[in-house]
Amino acid sequence: MIKSPRGTRDLLPPDTALWNFVEAAVRDVFRAYNFHEIRTPIFESTELFARGVGEETDIVAKEMFTWEDRGGAQSEEFARLLDLVEEKLGLSIADARDQIKFFKDAIALGKWKGQSLTLRPENTAGVVRAYIEHKLWDRGLNKLFYIGPQFRRERPQKGRYRQFYQIGAEIIGPAAAGSQSPARDAEILELLATLLDRVGIKNWTLELNSVGCPADRARFNEALRQALEPVVGKMCADCQRRAVTNPLRVFDCKVPEDQPTIATLPTITQFLDESCRAHYEEVKNILSAVHIPYVENPRLVRGLDYYQKTAFEFTHGALGAQNAILGGGRYDGLSEALGGPAAPGIGFAIGEDRLVLSLMETAPAEAVVRKPDVYIAPLGAGMNREAARVARELRRHDLVADLVIELGDESFRLKKSFEAADKMGARYILIVGENEVAADAFALKHLASGEQVTVPRGKLAQRILQK
Ligand code: HAM
């Protein structure tokens, strides 16, 4: 049996109803906050993530699905040149062979080297690439959202998959458009509180920190290096490497034995300069004004290198070890790191898989599944076509959104049709037999109460809609 690859899964009904419910609700929330959808490619050049997310992060160092794209660039180029040989130059076969050899050698020498591509492990770098590529600064402040799959080669467990889904948003634009303002940070956090409440996630915790600007980080990194020097010898191999290359990443360490040492390290808070401190204070002031509760966590650094100033996570108890339902923060230097103009930004990504898992604690997927309003039961030979007519009338353009219609088969005996209607939770069963067709009126039975009425064809929709 061929199974889905490790860390991937099929989402099946009725669970998909919960996914659709979540996506519809978040689209409503994004609309209310004037966010607009962006869709970026599922794969990008590897360099984008190396430069954007950071070479030293676990994501880039260990978890990316990367491949060399030989097919595309090379064979397209090759085919083009072969066409040229064939058509334009009118060469003999022997000459053409020489040409082909010439091109093959060129390929072997790496003249048309393939591009390194990577399945996106996250979407912020792609959005910022698109911002630069399409000069989105012309639009002022961009408020963008996305919903889609991301890929990380992690060890699979509950709430952690190799293909997972994120619902994310980014506010990005020139500083003159207000992109740097703490009001944007607070707006994002308040939006998240609304969104989680709207979909029905209860008891979330917002953990908040400021990771400072690059200058603060340089001072902090130096202090960390010094603090680590006498103790790092006892820590895991990853920490020993990080202590040299990027000490901040030591806080990503999950090794239990290292945690007591990590707890003694200095925190970024003491190193924030005046402007970062003021920015952070204002974010907190606005949050208090709109009554969004938060917990400060000075050790929250996040697993991606691009963050500056505000960093946050929302956690939820139902998730166990993988308890971060979403994460985000400000990335004021990312556009420049990718070769673009200054474009301060802030955003977040919700792990949709985790959001749905948390929801399942309280709301079984069945609760949001839309059941058929009516099961149409053709009774006897030749009745499939009559039932199809009735179904088509009930699925009229103006009723499509209102009625869910299920259509049976004339080969079923009445008992079997009733069983099928019951099993799928239909509200009514509608009998389409010869007598009904002749009378142009149909037996409509309410399954829960057993009440049965005869309804003329033209009144069916109205009657079924009555609930
Ligand atoms: P992140 O913290 O790497 O941030 O991921 C955001 C969320 O995606 C996590 O909190 C988690 O819920 C979910 N997630 C991550 N990895 C997995 C996995 N393997 N399986 C299931 N869920 C997972 C980012 O990706 C940033 N781009 C967020 C951001 C947007 N920052 C600024 N703008």
Side-chain angles (χ1 to χ4, degrees), residues 59 122 124 146 152 154 159-161 164 166 169-170 302 304 306-307 324-329 331 347-351 354:
I59 296 177
E122 62 99 53
T124 308
Y146 47 82
R152 297 183 192 175
E154 296 196 77
R160 198 208 273 154
Y161 311 97
F164 60 99
Q166 283 188 342
E170 316 288 350
R302 311 264 308 120
L304 306 95
Y306 50 60
Y307 291 111
I325 203 165
L326 69 93
Y331 45 85
F348 65 83
I350 303 173
R354 296 186 190 176

Side-chain angles (χ1 to χ4, degrees), residues 142-369:
N142 293 265
K143 295 169 81 177
L144 304 167
F145 78 90
Y146 47 82
I147 301 176
Q150 318 290 335
F151 305 85
R152 297 183 192 175
R153 189 185 271 108
E154 296 196 77
R155 201 168 47 75
Q157 62 181 77
K158 185 183 170 201
R160 198 208 273 154
Y161 311 97
R162 292 183 166 187
Q163 171 170 342
F164 60 99
Y165 295 81
Q166 283 188 342
I167 298 170
E170 316 288 350
I171 302 185
I172 181 172
S179 57
Q180 230 164 356
S181 167
R184 300 286 71 78
D185 307 46
E187 183 184 22
I188 282 275
L189 292 165
E190 193 270 329
L191 176 155
L192 279 165
T194 303
L195 195 156
L196 294 178
D197 289 344
R198 178 79 67 96
V199 296
I201 297 284
K202 306 225 163 52
N203 305 324
W204 44 262
T205 305
L206 160 56
E207 293 190 24
L208 193 61
N209 193 19
S210 173
V211 294
C213 333
D216 309 339
R217 292 261 279 281
R219 288 199 303 274
F220 179 48
N221 267 328
E222 199 35 54
L224 271 181
R225 234 178 232 123
Q226 280 176 21
L228 281 165
E229 216 173 74
V231 291
V232 78
K234 295 181 296 185
M235 299 178 78
C236 70
D238 275 345
C239 282
Q240 300 196 10
R241 184 172 44 79
R242 291 161 175 152
V244 182
T245 54
N246 191 348
L248 199 68
R249 296 264 70 91
V250 166
F251 289 105
D252 294 343
C253 176
K254 302 275 180 324
V255 176
E257 295 77 40
D258 287 351
Q259 298 312 310
T261 314
I262 292 170
T264 65
L265 296 173
T267 60
I268 182 82
T269 322
Q270 309 138 243
F271 297 88
L272 296 186
D273 70 16
E274 204 30 58
S275 85
C276 286
R277 199 178 295 280
H279 191 277
Y280 188 35
E281 286 306 316
E282 184 58 7
V283 175
K284 290 188 284 181
N285 286 336
I286 303 178
L287 286 181
S288 302
V290 292
H291 305 292
I292 304 295
Y294 59 87
V295 177
E296 286 187 78
N297 176 358
R299 296 193 188 276
L300 180 78
V301 294
R302 311 264 308 120
L304 306 95
D305 276 351
Y306 50 60
Y307 291 111
Q308 291 187 23
K309 297 185 182 157
T310 310
F312 56 85
E313 282 180 359
F314 281 64
T315 55
H316 191 255
L319 289 168
Q322 303 300 315
N323 67 352
I325 203 165
L326 69 93
R330 185 164 271 290
Y331 45 85
D332 290 354
L334 180 54
S335 173
E336 285 131 303
L338 296 175
I346 178 159
F348 65 83
I350 303 173
E352 192 177 357
D353 306 73
R354 296 186 190 176
L355 183 68
V356 170
L357 271 175
S358 310
L359 272 184
M360 282 175 170
E361 295 284 309
T362 47
E366 284 81 1
V368 295
V369 173

Side-chain angles (χ1 to χ4, degrees), residues 376 386-394 430 432 442 457 460:
I376 301 180
E386 293 299 336
R389 275 183 60 203
V390 177
R392 181 159 169 80
E393 283 157 19
L394 291 177
L430 179 77
V432 180
F442 300 86
R457 184 186 289 269
L460 275 173

Side-chain angles (χ1 to χ4, degrees), residues 38 40 44 48 122-134 136-137 144 170 172 306 331 333-341 343 345:
I38 181 169
T40 61
E44 298 265 7
L48 174 68
E122 62 99 53
N123 222 334
T124 308
V127 169
V128 177
R129 184 214 28 81
Y131 175 86
I132 299 167
E133 190 170 332
H134 305 289
L136 296 184
W137 49 86
L144 304 167
E170 316 288 350
I172 181 172
Y306 50 60
Y331 45 85
L334 180 54
S335 173
E336 285 131 303
L338 296 175

